[in-house]
Amino acid sequence: MCFSDWLKLEKGMTHKSAKDVVSRLNRVKNILEADDVSCVEIKKLEEKEMFQVLSMTVKSQLRRAIRLYSEFIRE
C-alpha cells in the first residue's frame, strides 16, 4: 500500500488532504536533500535555513508529514 492510500484508509483523509501531506513530505525531502525521512530527521530539518524562514504554520505541517510517514513505515 502506498503512503497516500494509507493516509486515506487509516487516517480517514480525503484525496486532497492526502495529496497535500505527500506534497509536504516531498518538500521535506527537498530541504534535506534526502530520499527518505523519519522522525529523527525533524531535528535536521529544523537546522536548515530553508526551514527556518518558513511560517510557523508551514513548519508545523512539514513536521506532521514526517510523523505521519514515520508511522506509515513502522506499520
Side-chain angles (χ1 to χ4, degrees):
M1 177 183 313
C2 73
F3 183 46
S4 179
D5 290 341
W6 180 83
L7 290 169
K8 290 183 254 184
L9 293 172
E10 297 295 322
K11 298 300 179 182
M13 291 187 182
T14 64
H15 175 73
K16 184 180 180 331
S17 295
K19 188 175 173 183
D20 288 344
V21 172
V22 171
S23 176
R24 291 179 187 123
L25 185 65
N26 287 332
R27 187 171 183 181
V28 167
K29 290 176 183 180
N30 286 334
I31 291 171
L32 292 173
E33 299 175 353
D35 293 330
D36 199 14
V37 294
S38 66
C39 279
V40 176
E41 302 295 335
I42 291 176
K43 283 200 179 269
K44 288 183 183 178
L45 180 66
E46 291 173 343
E47 294 170 357
K48 296 285 186 173
E49 185 177 340
M50 287 176 63
F51 179 81
Q52 294 171 359
V53 299
L54 300 172
S55 71
M56 187 179 299
T57 304
V58 173
K59 288 178 186 178
S60 176
Q61 292 168 343
L62 296 179
R63 287 185 196 107
R64 181 171 183 254
I66 293 173
R67 287 188 200 103
L68 286 168
Y69 184 69
S70 294
E71 185 178 341
F72 165 71
I73 59 174
R74 281 192 306 264
E75 289 189 6

